[in-house]
Amino acid sequence: MSNLMQSDILQQLEDLRQQAITALTSTSTTEETRAWHSEYLGRKGRLTGILRSVGAVSPEERPRIGKLANEIKTALEEALQERQTAIEQAELEAARNKELIDVTLPGRPQTLGKMHPSTRTLREIADIFATMGFLVYDSPEVETDEYNFQLLNMPPGHPARDLWDTFYTTTPDVVLRTHTSPGQIHAMRQYAPEPIRIILPGKCYRYEQVTARSESMFYQVEGLAVGKNITFSDLKGTFMNYASQMYGEGRKMRFRKHYFPFTEPSVEVDIDCVICGGKGCNICKYTGWLEILGAGMVNPRVLEYGGYDPAEYSGFAFGLGPDRMTMQKYDINDIRYFFSNDVRFLERIG
Ligand code: PHE
C-alpha cells in the first residue's frame, strides 16, 4: 500500500514536471509566467498540493519523494527563469520596434542665414574708425524733441526741422530719432570736459514714402570728435583716412558747402564713384561722384549744450548713411529687402 503510495506520488510528480514544462513553453508574456508560477510552484500550487499527501507515506519513503520534489522544483524554477528572460527580451525588442527611428530617413536641411549685410557694413565702419581711436557709443532710438532738435540748435518752429520728416508719438515731445545726432548730446553730457572720439551707429526713422531707395527705418553712423585745437583739417584728414581704408588708396574727395543747424561750417562730402571711377554711370547719376556723408565743425552753441566751453573746445561731427554703401557693395537694388526678413536675401549675399 505504502509502496503504491510512493510510486503514485513519484508518478504524479513526474507528470507534473511534464505538464509544467509544456505549459511553460506556451507562455508568452510576463503575466502568463506569473500565473504559471502560482499554478505550479506557488504556495497553493500543484507541487505543494502533491507534497501534502506525503504525510500518508511512511517516513522511510519520504526522502525519495522529497528529493524528487526538490529536483523538480529547482528544474522548474530554472526553466521559468530562462523563459522569463526570453520573454523580457522579446518584449523589449517589440517596444523598440514600435518606437523605431528610421535613421536612414534624410534629415531636414537647416537653413543657415548669414550675417545681415547692414551689420557687416556697420562693423567694417566701426573697425576703420577704431584704427583712429573712435569708440562705439550707444544711444537711444526714441528721443525727446529736446534732444532730437532743440539741443541741436533747432528750437520749436525752426524751419530747418522740415529737413527731417519726424515720427511724433502720442506722448507729447517724444519722437523716434530722425538722425543719430542727438547721441552727440548724450555723449558730450556724459564725458564733458574730457575729449571725445566716438561713432554712433544705429537705426533712425523718418516719416517718408517707402520706395526702392528710401525706407522709413534706416541706418546712420554718426561721428563726433571734441577736444582742444580740433580743426577742419582734422575732419578732412579723418575722412581721407576713412575713404582710403573703405574704398582703397587714392580716392578723390570733394567737399561741398552745405547747411546743418548743428555744425558751422557744414559740408557734404563726395568721393569719386566707386563703380565707374568718375566717368559717370547710373549709380552716380552720371555725375562721377558719390555722396558719402554730411559733416561740419560742431556749432559752438551745441558744444555749450553738451557742457563744453566753445572758447576752449572745438570739434567736428559727421553723419554717414551706410545703407546706400551696402546696396552698392552687394548690388542690392531695393532698400526694402533689408527689413523684409526673407532668409533668401541673406543667402544670396556672397
Ligand atoms: N544728422 C545729419 C542728417 O541726418 C547728418 C550730420 C551729422 C551732419 C553730423 C553733420 C554732422 O542729415
Side-chain angles (χ1 to χ4, degrees):
M1 170 75 184
S2 64
N3 262 343
L4 188 68
M5 277 299 285
Q6 186 198 45
S7 59
D8 254 2
I9 294 176
L10 291 176
Q11 188 55 51
Q12 279 176 30
L13 285 172
E14 283 302 344
D15 289 349
L16 178 78
R17 186 205 313 247
Q18 280 312 316
Q19 286 164 20
I21 293 294
T22 313
L24 189 61
T25 44
S26 64
T27 57
S28 57
T29 65
T30 306
E31 267 137 56
E32 281 170 15
T33 58
R34 278 206 198 105
W36 177 92
H37 181 266
S38 55
E39 181 179 350
Y40 292 96
L41 302 174
R43 253 187 327 115
K44 292 179 185 154
R46 288 170 58 181
L47 183 64
T48 321
I50 295 170
L51 292 179
R52 276 211 190 97
S53 48
V54 170
V57 179
S58 66
E60 314 86 69
E61 286 169 351
R62 282 178 204 167
R64 223 180 124 197
I65 294 171
K67 195 167 165 259
L68 183 64
N70 269 336
E71 202 183 289
I72 290 175
K73 194 171 179 233
T74 312
L76 289 184
E77 272 169 354
E78 271 167 20
L80 173 67
Q81 192 59 46
E82 223 169 88
R83 185 76 193 157
Q84 234 155 13
T85 312
I87 287 171
E88 272 162 29
Q89 206 68 38
E91 281 176 345
L92 206 67
E93 192 83 350
R96 265 205 219 111
N97 284 338
K98 233 166 105 189
E99 294 162 23
L100 192 69
I101 297 167
D102 182 358
V103 291
T104 63
L105 193 70
R108 289 189 199 91
Q110 286 273 344
T111 35
L112 265 194
K114 290 191 178 149
M115 195 186 287
H116 196 285
S118 297
T119 310
R120 289 204 235 174
T121 304
L122 290 177
R123 292 194 180 180
E124 235 173 290
I125 294 170
D127 285 349
I128 292 173
F129 279 102
T131 66
M132 296 182 267
F134 284 76
L135 300 177
V136 171
Y137 188 88
D138 251 336
S139 76
E141 292 174 26
V142 178
E143 280 290 4
T144 55
D145 182 281
E146 189 188 18
Y147 272 82
N148 197 75
F149 293 119
Q150 294 172 43
L151 297 170
L152 293 167
N153 206 20
M154 285 176 276
H158 194 290
R161 288 186 178 215
D162 292 349
L163 295 172
W164 292 276
D165 310 289
T166 312
F167 279 116
Y168 292 92
T169 68
T170 49
T171 312
D173 294 328
V174 173
V175 303
L176 300 188
R177 69 174 175 194
T178 56
H179 49 179
T180 41
S181 300
Q184 290 187 31
I185 306 290
H186 289 293
M188 285 193 274
R189 291 191 165 178
Q190 181 179 336
Y191 291 123
E194 297 298 321
I196 293 178
R197 234 186 275 177
I198 53 162
I199 59 167
L200 305 96
K203 287 195 192 95
C204 302
Y205 304 84
R206 288 186 199 171
Y207 184 60
E208 280 188 287
Q209 183 166 17
V210 175
T211 67
R213 287 179 65 79
S214 57
E215 257 282 14
S216 53
M217 179 168 80
F218 57 95
Y219 281 103
Q220 276 195 346
V221 178
E222 190 87 5
L224 175 70
V226 179
K228 290 180 179 168
N229 305 317
I230 290 184
T231 68
F232 201 87
S233 306
D234 296 313
L235 176 156
K236 275 184 144 178
T238 304
F239 294 161
M240 299 293 270
N241 185 310
Y242 164 74
S244 64
Q245 287 199 57
M246 180 59 93
Y247 301 104
E249 294 287 339
R251 294 262 55 116
K252 272 191 245 156
M253 192 173 263
R254 86 178 171 181
F255 291 76
R256 284 178 287 110
K257 62 184 188 305
H258 198 73
Y259 168 74
F260 296 107
F262 33 89
T263 47
E264 182 61 35
S266 302
V267 288
E268 275 188 331
V269 180
D270 301 336
I271 56 165
D272 54 329
C273 179
V274 288
I275 308 296
C276 64
K279 288 202 256 333
C281 66
N282 63 344
I283 298 292
C284 61
K285 295 196 212 116
Y286 302 96
T287 62
W289 296 97
L290 290 174
E291 183 195 318
I292 58 167
L293 51 86
M297 300 306 289
V298 182
N299 188 299
R301 193 172 282 170
V302 175
L303 279 175
E304 224 165 64
Y305 289 147
Y308 291 85
D309 177 0
E312 245 193 289
Y313 291 89
S314 55
F316 66 82
F318 61 88
L320 58 85
D323 294 330
R324 200 72 26 98
M325 293 166 50
T326 309
M327 290 172 76
Q328 282 158 13
K329 180 158 184 185
Y330 299 104
D331 198 17
I332 298 160
N333 57 17
D334 194 323
I335 195 172
R336 289 169 291 195
Y337 284 129
F338 283 156
F339 304 120
S340 62
N341 208 17
D342 187 333
V343 78
R344 288 172 304 180
F345 171 65
L346 298 180
E347 281 163 355
R348 89 167 251 284
I349 305 293

